């Protein structure tokens, strides 16, 4: 990293002028820690992974997990072509099947019209590639034909690109069908743009003082099945996965609300909210994990190049495509999930968390400099990790014991 980049990060990553160019009514900036997760080997390449997150333990957990996966060669990842789905809501139609047939017959014209808006994306090999049709009859507002425009957005997240294309083709669809278009907007359930990651952790590496590796493997698999079967558990399980993924999404200037919406909608795709990961054991007794989720991430557009810290995050990764970024994020999600399950299935997560929590309380109570660690340690030693106690220690001039 260059000196200028270090300075940019230390200064919070964003000037007031830059903030005002990103959104409206800006009155200040809000900084979050920018960290680096280590030990990631993905498809035989080593990565330093930028993570922006306020929650303690996530970066350490990811780095620790990545080290165990690295022992068996790291993560193997994959991804679909970057195809986004744009939706057009067609109403006031006499017959959904007739309207669909009319649109199918003119598909080439519709795609050509969409591509007239694709600009530089088409020049890079992307653009509109197809249509899908979904019938939703008998709704409170009548029969609905939902047309999906499939659009390859290359290295962009693609929201603006596809929304422009949709607005452009809507009048043509009305003319073809005689119907009325209401909404024209991308779907955040970008399930044509999936990313996957898988990896193996040796049972031997999972041994603890009190449990052999095979027992920990079993406990992790049981925890995984719990999340696959129970939505109450799956919500928390997937939240942990998104701890890792969102941190990468933020560090690269991507839209984490879009990614969150897509991940959870995908987790509920069969009408039953379930886990985004799957864990199992091989014949040698080692632990295998796999994750699959939609990841609409860009390396151009949005804030990816407009936010100086995001630019640094992307440079640090040294990636060459939006697909590669999605694959890295998927690997981080799998690593984070593994670390959480391992902790939950062995010591529980509170031990590590309470240490960081104590530090946060010390800060919140007004501790400064070296006092933060001292107060935090005192809270831990007393087994009394509460804000009131931290305040009392500081008010009493606490420096050392
Ligand atoms: P964008 O419009 O800023 O940038 C994409 C453009 O970059 C393309 O149209 C193309 O002209 C250009 N480009 C240059 N090199 C390219 C390459 N290699 N591959 C592809 N395009 C290239 O951004 P976007 O990705 O269309 O939209 C992302 C933004 O939209 C995010 O800020 C997001 O928050 C926002 N958004 C999201 C939603 C949603 O998720 N529901 C809705 C609206 C807007």
């Amino acid at each position: 990293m260059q000196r200028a980049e270090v300075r940019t990060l230390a200064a919070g990553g964003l000037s007031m002028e830059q903030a005002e160019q990103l959104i409206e009514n800006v009155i200040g900036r809000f900084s979050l820690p920018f960290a680096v997760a280590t030990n990631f080997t993905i498809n035989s390449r080593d990565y330093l992974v930028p993570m922006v997150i306020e929650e303690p333990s996530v970066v350490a957990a990811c780095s620790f997990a990545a080290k165990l996966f690295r022992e068996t060669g790291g993560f193997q990842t994959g991804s679909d072509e970057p195809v986004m789905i744009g939706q057009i809501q067609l109403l006031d139609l006499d017959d959904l099947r007739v309207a669909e047939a009319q649109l199918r017959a003119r598909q080439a014209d519709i795609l050509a019209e969409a591509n007239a808006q694709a600009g530089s994306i088409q020049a890079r090999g992307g653009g509109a590639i197809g249509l899908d049709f979904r019938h939703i009859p008998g709704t409170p507002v009548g029969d609905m034909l939902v047309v999906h425009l499939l659009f390859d957005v290359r290295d962009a997240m693609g929201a603006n690109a596809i929304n422009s294309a949709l607005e452009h083709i809507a009048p043509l669809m009305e003319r073809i069908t005689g119907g009325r278009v209401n909404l024209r907007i991308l779907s955040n359930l970008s399930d044509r743009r999936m990313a996957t990651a898988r990896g193996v952790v040796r049972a031997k590496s999972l041994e603890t003082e009190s449990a052999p590796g095979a027992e920990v493997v079993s406990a992790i698999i049981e925890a995984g099945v719990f999340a696959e079967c129970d939505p109450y558990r799956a919500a928390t399980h997937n939240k942990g996965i998104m701890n890792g993924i969102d941190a990468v999404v933020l560090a690269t200037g991507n839209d984490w609300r879009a990614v969150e919406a897509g991940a959870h909608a995908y987790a509920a795709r069969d009408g039953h909210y379930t886990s985004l990961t799957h864990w199992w054991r091989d014949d040698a007794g080692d632990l295998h994990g796999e994750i699959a989720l939609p990841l609409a991430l860009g390396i151009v557009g949005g804030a990816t190049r407009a936010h100086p810290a995001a630019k640094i995050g992307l440079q640090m990764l040294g990636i060459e495509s939006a697909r590669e970024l999605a694959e890295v994020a998927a690997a981080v999600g799998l690593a984070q999930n593994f670390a959480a399950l391992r902790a939950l299935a062995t010591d529980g997560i509170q031990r590590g968390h309470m240490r960081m929590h104590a530090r946060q309380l010390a800060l919140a109570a007004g501790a400064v400099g070296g006092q933060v660690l001292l107060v935090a340690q005192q809270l831990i030693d007393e087994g009394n990790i509460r804000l009131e106690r931290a305040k009392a220690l500081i008010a009493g001039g606490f420096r050392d014991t």
Side-chain angles (χ1 to χ4, degrees), residues 22-321:
L22 283 181
I23 62 161
E24 316 76 35
N25 297 1
V26 174
I27 59 162
R29 291 155 294 156
F30 183 110
S31 294
L32 290 172
F34 185 115
V36 182
T38 54
N39 303 323
F40 275 85
T41 302
I42 301 170
N43 300 333
S44 307
R45 219 201 104 180
D46 289 343
Y47 290 85
L48 286 174
V49 182
M51 297 180 83
V52 169
I53 185 164
E54 85 297 348
E55 188 174 335
S57 306
V58 172
V59 178
C62 272
S63 304
F64 166 76
K67 195 166 159 189
L68 296 193
F69 281 98
R70 191 188 179 93
E71 288 173 359
T72 63
F75 300 93
Q76 291 78 51
T77 62
S79 58
D80 294 334
E81 293 290 340
V83 174
M84 294 294 280
I85 298 168
Q87 297 193 292
I88 290 190
Q89 179 192 25
L90 265 166
L91 298 161
D92 301 347
L93 296 164
D94 293 334
D95 187 323
L96 297 184
R97 276 170 306 181
V98 170
E100 176 179 336
Q102 289 168 329
L103 291 168
R104 280 191 188 281
R106 298 284 305 278
Q107 171 154 330
D109 296 333
I110 296 168
L111 297 184
E113 196 68 24
N115 279 328
Q117 281 290 295
S120 76
I121 285 190
Q122 203 188 12
R124 292 180 164 85
I129 57 166
L131 298 177
D132 260 354
F133 298 89
R134 295 173 51 245
H135 295 197
I136 312 183
T139 79
V141 294
D143 293 347
M144 214 183 273
L145 180 63
V146 181
V147 184
H148 283 188
L149 174 68
L150 308 179
F151 196 100
D152 183 329
V153 296
R154 296 286 87 198
D155 290 317
M157 180 272 187
N160 290 321
I162 196 158
N163 288 343
S164 303
L166 292 172
E167 290 185 9
H168 191 68
I169 61 174
L172 175 59
M173 291 200 170
E174 287 183 328
R175 286 200 297 278
I176 293 171
T177 60
R180 177 174 60 87
V181 167
N182 188 30
L183 296 198
R184 300 145 295 169
I185 180 77
L186 93 158
S187 170
N188 285 115
L189 176 49
S190 49
D191 59 4
R192 298 282 185 139
R193 199 176 181 179
M194 298 289 291
T196 58
R198 54 195 304 165
V200 183
V201 176
R202 286 197 191 100
K204 199 170 165 339
S205 309
L206 289 170
E207 233 166 61
T208 67
E209 278 169 23
S210 55
E215 203 174 289
V216 179
V217 169
S218 293
I220 291 174
I221 292 170
E222 286 163 5
V225 171
F226 184 9
E228 286 178 40
C229 299
D230 175 20
Y232 285 88
R233 173 58 207 148
T236 323
H237 178 97
N238 290 342
K239 188 273 179 185
I241 291 170
M242 301 314 288
N243 275 344
I245 292 178
D246 283 342
V248 178
V249 173
L250 264 169
T252 54
N254 274 283
D255 183 339
W256 53 270
R257 286 88 51 207
V259 169
E260 281 280 336
H264 296 293
Y266 180 75
R269 64 198 175 283
D270 298 327
H272 165 85
Y273 185 87
T274 187
S275 167
L276 293 168
T277 57
H278 178 59
W279 295 96
W280 71 99
R281 184 198 321 258
D282 66 16
D283 293 342
D286 293 333
L287 179 72
H288 288 240
E290 183 174 63
I291 187 169
L293 78 166
L295 275 171
L297 298 179
I299 60 167
V300 296
T304 57
R305 305 281 166 116
H307 194 300
K311 241 159 83 177
I312 295 171
L314 283 167
Q315 269 166 22
M316 180 184 292
L317 279 164
I319 52 177
E320 277 165 19
S321 68

